[in-house]
Amino acid sequence: MKKLSALAGVPLALLAMALAPAHADNVTIYGILDTYMGYTNAGGPGPSTAMQSGGLYASRIGFRGNEDLGSGLHATFTLDAGIQTDTGASADATRLFGRQAWVGLASPYGEVRLGRQNSAQVLMLGNFDAFVGGTYASFLNNVSPYSFRYDNAITYLSPDLSGVKFSVSDSLGEQTTGVSALNAYVGSLEYRSGPLYLGINHAEQNGANGKNLTKTTFAGGNYKLGKWIGYLGYYRGNNLGAIAATNTSGQYHSAYSVSASYQLNAALSLAIGYGWLKDSSNASNDASQISLAGFYALSKRTQLYATIEHLNNRNHAAYAFQANGPIAANVPSPGGNVSGAQFGIVHFF
């Protein structure tokens, strides 16, 4: 990550105005550039090959700040814009900072943030499988619909309490009718001690009528033993087939994931995983997936990755490989299976 050495170098006048009062040593430019070639063959539509952005991590560029106010108090902010590295387009044409735009205050007692923020669910997902919650290989990511981030959010993040951390967030729907219409509530709890990590989170969002609720829960963890790391992941949600505009809930379904990674040498790690989904309705629209992946570090900031996977849909299920970027998935016909492979490069700065 590179420090912002001259505010005049920021090409956007809006950013220059916003960052002008800051000192050069407390504002950081950061980013991730992730591009891959992906191949999928879905039952019904057939094969598809394309270059896409955001296979392992969603590509982005952002600004992060931290000002020491004295007595342990810090002013903090993040502005985070998603980009598509295959075309150079914005990941969200309707927003300048579509990923994050928040300001907060931090102290030894925790941090409060106000604005558009990442959900605890997306932040914790990478701890629940060997594929960092991304790429075609992540079954949890492929079959678990949830909200990545929320507008108008008020979030409290606790300090580290002997390995325990928690967070609570309230996203205001700001609708003209119904005081709680489209409000969202997210909570998380995690524990880390030596080789062990455990985490759980839960989110609920009101419908447009202020009553219908969609609910999503993730839980799991990982354990490191020598060169091995084992992962367990679980998802339960009732937003299967949810309608985004009104957030109407659907049937509950549950997903399970078991995976592991092995550090072959300093640069190369391999991963394997299996996941299955159980539909709670009488339709039995179940699914399962087996995945393999390899990750090779060219340096501390540049990494190659490759995956191969097969997803089996049953009855009328039509799950597909989602990756991490704003891509159009190759969705199979109901009950159709999907096979895929990826090869990509990601650079952090």
Side-chain angles (χ1 to χ4, degrees):
M1 294 184 183
K2 299 181 179 179
K3 298 294 180 180
L4 183 61
S5 58
L7 292 175
V10 179
L12 299 173
L14 177 61
L15 292 180
M17 293 173 62
L19 299 179
H23 296 292
D25 61 352
N26 63 15
V27 178
T28 300
I29 296 178
Y30 67 90
I32 299 175
L33 303 176
D34 184 329
T35 307
Y36 70 93
M37 291 297 300
Y39 168 83
T40 56
N41 190 350
S48 173
T49 303
M51 177 183 291
Q52 300 283 1
S53 176
L56 184 58
Y57 300 97
S59 298
R60 71 202 72 171
I61 184 168
F63 302 83
R64 188 162 45 225
N66 187 319
E67 181 185 9
D68 189 346
L69 302 175
S71 302
L73 191 63
H74 292 255
T76 58
F77 77 85
T78 291
L79 297 171
D80 197 350
I83 55 176
Q84 298 186 46
T85 53
D86 56 330
T87 64
S90 170
D92 186 343
T94 66
R95 306 172 189 251
L96 178 57
F97 295 105
R99 292 179 53 83
Q100 295 187 82
W102 58 262
V103 61
L105 287 175
S107 77
Y109 305 101
E111 184 175 4
V112 175
R113 297 175 178 176
L114 306 176
R116 180 169 172 81
Q117 301 170 55
N118 285 329
S119 164
Q121 297 194 306
V122 72
L123 294 174
M124 294 175 69
L125 185 60
N127 293 309
F128 297 156
D129 77 11
F131 312 105
V132 204
T135 74
Y136 295 168
S138 177
F139 182 71
L140 281 179
N141 186 54
N142 291 335
V143 303
S144 306
Y146 66 98
S147 295
F148 282 25
R149 50 194 60 89
Y150 294 97
D151 293 339
N152 314 309
I154 305 166
T155 302
Y156 170 76
L157 301 96
S158 79
D160 190 321
L161 305 169
S162 300
V164 175
K165 291 183 179 180
F166 67 90
S167 71
V168 290
S169 183
D170 181 1
S171 169
L172 307 179
E174 298 192 346
Q175 301 300 296
T176 54
T177 57
V179 248
S180 62
L182 294 183
N183 278 22
Y185 314 94
V186 186
S188 72
L189 178 66
E190 55 189 336
Y191 173 73
R192 190 183 298 275
S193 177
L196 175 67
Y197 172 87
L198 297 172
I200 186 170
N201 56 64
H202 180 75
E204 298 188 2
Q205 184 164 5
N206 294 335
N209 61 3
K211 297 177 181 179
N212 290 337
L213 283 176
T214 57
K215 301 179 182 181
T216 54
T217 301
F218 284 96
N222 62 72
Y223 188 84
K224 184 175 183 180
L225 183 62
K227 294 185 177 182
W228 287 92
I229 304 178
Y231 297 82
L232 291 174
Y234 169 76
Y235 167 88
R236 178 172 167 82
N238 73 334
N239 55 353
L240 182 63
I243 301 171
T246 58
N247 213 40
T248 303
S249 60
Q251 293 285 339
Y252 270 104
H253 71 295
S254 299
Y256 308 83
S257 172
V258 179
S259 58
S261 66
Y262 179 76
Q263 194 69 43
L264 194 63
N265 55 46
L268 177 63
S269 66
L270 304 175
I272 185 170
Y274 178 76
W276 66 101
L277 176 142
K278 179 63 178 175
D279 174 17
S280 66
S281 74
N282 294 328
S284 297
N285 295 325
D286 303 334
S288 62
Q289 179 178 328
I290 187 167
S291 306
L292 298 172
F295 307 92
Y296 187 83
L298 296 173
S299 70
K300 290 182 178 180
R301 294 184 175 180
T302 305
Q303 185 181 59
L304 301 177
Y305 61 91
T307 74
I308 184 169
E309 45 280 312
H310 178 77
L311 194 159
N312 182 31
N313 287 300
R314 297 180 182 88
N315 296 315
H316 295 286
Y319 294 100
F321 302 134
Q322 301 297 331
N324 246 334
I327 65 172
N330 188 8
V331 180
S333 301
N337 299 330
V338 192
S339 296
Q342 287 173 290
F343 179 78
I345 180 171
V346 55
H347 178 75
F348 305 87
F349 65 90

